[in-house]
Amino acid sequence: MAMTGVLRPGHVQIRVMDLEAGVHHYRDVLGLEEMGRDASGRVYLKAWDERDHHSIVLRKADSAGMDFFGFKVDSEATLNRLEADLKQYGLTTSRIPAGDLLETGERVRFEIPSGHQIELYAHKSFVGSDLGQKDPKPYSPKFDKGIAPMRLDHALLYGPNVDKVLEIFTKVLGFHLAEFVTLPDSDIKGALWLCCSNKAHDIAFVVHPEPGKLHHVSFYMESWDRVLRSADIMAANDVKVDIGPTRHGITRGGTIYAWDPSGNRFETFSGGNSSYPDMPPIEWSWEGLGEGGGLDVAARKMHETFLTVVT
Amino acid sequence: MAMTGVLRPGHVQIRVMDLEAGVHHYRDVLGLEEMGRDASGRVYLKAWDERDHHSIVLRKADSAGMDFFGFKVDSEATLNRLEADLKQYGLTTSRIPAGDLLETGERVRFEIPSGHQIELYAHKSFVGSDLGQKDPKPYSPKFDKGIAPMRLDHALLYGPNVDKVLEIFTKVLGFHLAEFVTLPDSDIKGALWLCCSNKAHDIAFVVHPEPGKLHHVSFYMESWDRVLRSADIMAANDVKVDIGPTRHGITRGGTIYAWDPSGNRFETFSGGNSSYPDMPPIEWSWEGLGEGGGLDVAARKMHETFLTVVT
Amino acid sequence: MAMTGVLRPGHVQIRVMDLEAGVHHYRDVLGLEEMGRDASGRVYLKAWDERDHHSIVLRKADSAGMDFFGFKVDSEATLNRLEADLKQYGLTTSRIPAGDLLETGERVRFEIPSGHQIELYAHKSFVGSDLGQKDPKPYSPKFDKGIAPMRLDHALLYGPNVDKVLEIFTKVLGFHLAEFVTLPDSDIKGALWLCCSNKAHDIAFVVHPEPGKLHHVSFYMESWDRVLRSADIMAANDVKVDIGPTRHGITRGGTIYAWDPSGNRFETFSGGNSSYPDMPPIEWSWEGLGEGGGLDVAARKMHETFLTVVT
Amino acid sequence: MAMTGVLRPGHVQIRVMDLEAGVHHYRDVLGLEEMGRDASGRVYLKAWDERDHHSIVLRKADSAGMDFFGFKVDSEATLNRLEADLKQYGLTTSRIPAGDLLETGERVRFEIPSGHQIELYAHKSFVGSDLGQKDPKPYSPKFDKGIAPMRLDHALLYGPNVDKVLEIFTKVLGFHLAEFVTLPDSDIKGALWLCCSNKAHDIAFVVHPEPGKLHHVSFYMESWDRVLRSADIMAANDVKVDIGPTRHGITRGGTIYAWDPSGNRFETFSGGNSSYPDMPPIEWSWEGLGEGGGLDVAARKMHETFLTVVT
């Protein structure tokens, strides 16, 4: 009760075309800690305030993008129940054996109608943060190594059939809808901000003709000051920025969108609304998304890249 | 699923000895919006980012303190189920009729072994924030009226039998324990930070011989900058400060403790850890609470008022 | 000694095409305090942390732009001496009688080779800030009325003959050069950041074929948090933004460029380098201004409006 | 003209009783860069945004405290003129040869009536910041090494004859008085905040029976967020804090007072008023200093250590 079922975004596997350039970006510029590499060459990283073994997995591939996005659930019982519920809903699920990802238990994988591979799992080894679990100090130099986000926060995914995705996440997986955008001259929800917590969102979708695309993986910064610091570090490291710093009207979070060396967009994000399942979702018109500042409170326009550049 | 059962702190009824001085404090200095007064003279207020009708209720009384602290639950079904569970656990519950608090449905009230009156309810009228639900603007002058917290965040309560309180909140109400303090030279948990969300905490307890005492009611500020602004406004309005600005080691939140005109402590709080039920709680020794900075990262000492001044 | 001669930017007269729209912008949105109107209909305003009678003067006119920019000097003796020095340098000066601007003494006006009218004056009535001069409180609600900058900080002016402007400001008026930009494939200084204090700059120039143009008038914000708040307030009031929030590489200040209703650009600016006359100026190449982040650390490009839109 | 004469605090020589403990504190915890050691064993350090060779000199001694505080002046001519003016005022001056301090020119030293050794010098080698002088990047990891202040900001010194000190700094050295505190039931200025720039202050004095005492050396932080970060780093390194984080009413700066291993107090300071010589100084009563929040806006009391603990 209270927080049950799906707990939070747990891991995302990102495809990079040059592994060492990717490692340099995520480890040395973003400042994640390298936690290990597996037999297939994948590189595992975690943010300083995360406690489980890793949240980011980099895989060398011929094209950029996201292989899968995984949520941690509260127990094996929940994993089994949700797998059954997903099947009953009509989705095909498969089991990835424990150990396929380092320090991670068995995963239930399924493709949602937007073309994305989503995973649930109940176990990833607890490694703790650098501060320890007993009488922790308030600071470690790791907090300032590179951009140094606190955690993987969410992802925004692009693909078709967003209406069905909404149904799966809210009816089967127990998420609530925090905010949405309707398509032009329509009541159809074309973009969704979905929560399994009281964060601003844990995953988001925008309707798009091509399935399975990644818009961005987002990392949480402690403050708007730290978002500016992330811009400074991007500049010092020639990381190309897409949008920001600015505030999203949607979520009210501080943001910078930028690209990793393979062209995968990532975000440094701060603040943001709290959301609860009893609150009606906030509705944005298509014009509200652009001219209304839903995407960018300062510029109040639709940035063309927002709708067109995905991996 | 995901967020279910008990959702969040919903209301707290605070006793003030001079009603208009209390209204001046909570409305004009703290900057909450007065939402109504009832036939018995109670005054209802809400913070600008809250969506339900009110969160703070002021009642004129001969002594300061807290009458009750209420949590919103996700449905009437949950209300009924939790009432049954509380009874089965051995607590006595009572029903307060809908309408006893303005715009609020039926409440289930029970006394926990620390001597506090806790309530659950499933309905409070949604009034929304000043920004509206459709294409909201990012700013309203209400964000800057007085201290202007975003929301009621939590309360810290003092009383005996904290071990039983832990059991009730975790076993019956579905909270998880985020952090705790052990008593000197002991494994006994003497202080608890409990969550029904992924916030740093939603309610906290410290063991104390006298039952039913209020340590503080906490209000959430958007940033550490806004915590400093709250100090400025306290100074401009002769609000007496107890501790801070500083950071709590416990929760990692920014904080100021101060007193309302009746001597009830309140807090302006920012940031803070995220917590999840699968993470082991952080353990603080008694020395860690004081010299270890659990209470005050900067001063790293036990402030005498922390343990002795309650209402 | 120490701080002598020219002290600081003191006033700027801005042409607005719709006076009440201008007053609404500068008073109600920007949040300056209206201090008076004169017989010719000009409107005088000051920022909350300014102590002299006004810093912004709005004049209704058929075209937008800046009439003149005035610096306060430390004494009548300095005023006389600088007037003589300016004449000796070869500039024509004129005296505007005391009282022409409300609460302002006699002004020495001269046109610099960029085509701008610059003024010096030694007296403007001290009115103090809202906090008073004795045992001031740390807060007044005026700090949060609208965008609420602390002060007029500087202006950026566009015009020809920037080399001569540099000579006048450094050789005659005693400014030092903090940063400059060289033109493409050239050692010619095409942009200047000039200081009469240890601020990041007090006035700046960019070379431009048309004389006497205003790029922006800048207002100082207490923090980067307050720059974001200014974006929120711009959005809530439909103020069009040009660039930002971002950091300028030049000056290292936080910034938003936006437009008043007449198309005059203004800036909300925070932080920024300190500068001293013994430090060699920081040199930016033309590429450094654009791709090197001199203008915009995040976007690292030349925004086309930066070079083309002036009033 | 504009900024002339005395430019800024340039160096302070601090006595530490355990040199390596002192170096650890100033270099590894505070995060200054070690720039060299001289034949007598003194250690030279600079802050990341300083451009001259060093600002802090540590000398091993049997007692803590300050040996001397030096201001940089704009030229040798000024150095000679100020020396003559000081002599004419009646002070005894001496010349310390160039090279006595590493990379520093000849210094004029004099004892002021408060018992402090003050120095003026015109040359210290320009070494620049880590960012370089041409097309600088906005970030270097040095910005986050330890507490990482931007610069030596000021010192607060305790001693007798503060009235004469005021006269010397304003009449001879060209400083202006920004704020002052009158002694209880008196018009006598017992504390002075003095400026040679438009900073909140460059040096301050409090009347005290014992001559030549150091209250604190202050380091400038980029923001209030960075002041909190400094508290975190102090806690992680067991640095004992005296007061703060809080805001001073006097100067309006954010502050933490803490002690180095030898008991010398230092400050991490942010923000603060701007001041100009034409503005009347802000007056604080003795009660305003304490209960009025002049020292501590939040606590609004006289902290006993403020008046009694000096080195």
Side-chain angles (χ1 to χ4, degrees), chain A residues 13-24:
Chain A
Q13 185 165 306
I14 300 170
R15 294 191 302 270
V16 294
M17 292 182 290
D18 177 329
L19 188 66
E20 287 316 308
V23 169
H24 172 69

Side-chain angles (χ1 to χ4, degrees), chain C residues 1-8 48 51-52 72 81-82 126 131 133-136 138 143 151 172-174 176 196-199 222 247 252 274-285 288 297, chain D residues 1-8 48 51-52 72 81-82 126 131 133-136 138 143 151 172-174 176 196-199 222 247 252 274-285 288 297:
Chain C
M1 241 195 318
M3 296 206 77
T4 60
V6 178
L7 295 178
R8 66 174 171 276
W48 65 261
R51 317 297 162 84
D52 286 350
K72 194 175 191 185
R81 183 172 48 76
L82 288 173
F126 178 86
L131 304 176
Q133 288 294 112
K134 185 149 182 197
D135 289 348
F143 300 7
R151 62 169 186 254
V172 185
L173 297 175
H176 62 273
C196 58
S197 67
N198 65 319
K199 288 163 52 187
E222 203 161 0
R247 187 198 288 280
R252 284 183 55 82
S274 57
S275 71
Y276 285 93
D278 64 322
M279 294 178 180
I282 295 170
E283 176 179 350
W284 295 83
S285 65
V297 158
Chain D
M1 243 196 314
M3 297 205 77
T4 61
V6 178
L7 295 178
R8 65 174 172 276
W48 65 262
R51 318 295 163 86
D52 286 350
K72 192 173 192 187
R81 183 172 48 76
L82 287 174
F126 178 87
L131 304 177
Q133 288 294 113
K134 183 149 184 200
D135 289 347
F143 300 7
R151 63 168 185 256
V172 184
L173 297 175
H176 62 272
C196 57
S197 67
N198 65 320
K199 288 163 53 187
E222 202 162 2
R247 187 198 287 282
R252 284 182 57 81
S274 57
S275 72
Y276 285 94
D278 64 321
M279 293 179 180
I282 295 169
E283 176 178 351
W284 294 84
S285 66
V297 158

Side-chain angles (χ1 to χ4, degrees), chain D residues 90-94 109-118 168 211-212:
Chain D
L91 292 181
T92 304
T93 66
S94 62
R109 184 184 290 177
F110 51 101
E111 183 174 304
I112 54 174
S114 57
H116 298 95
Q117 305 296 318
I118 303 293
I168 293 164

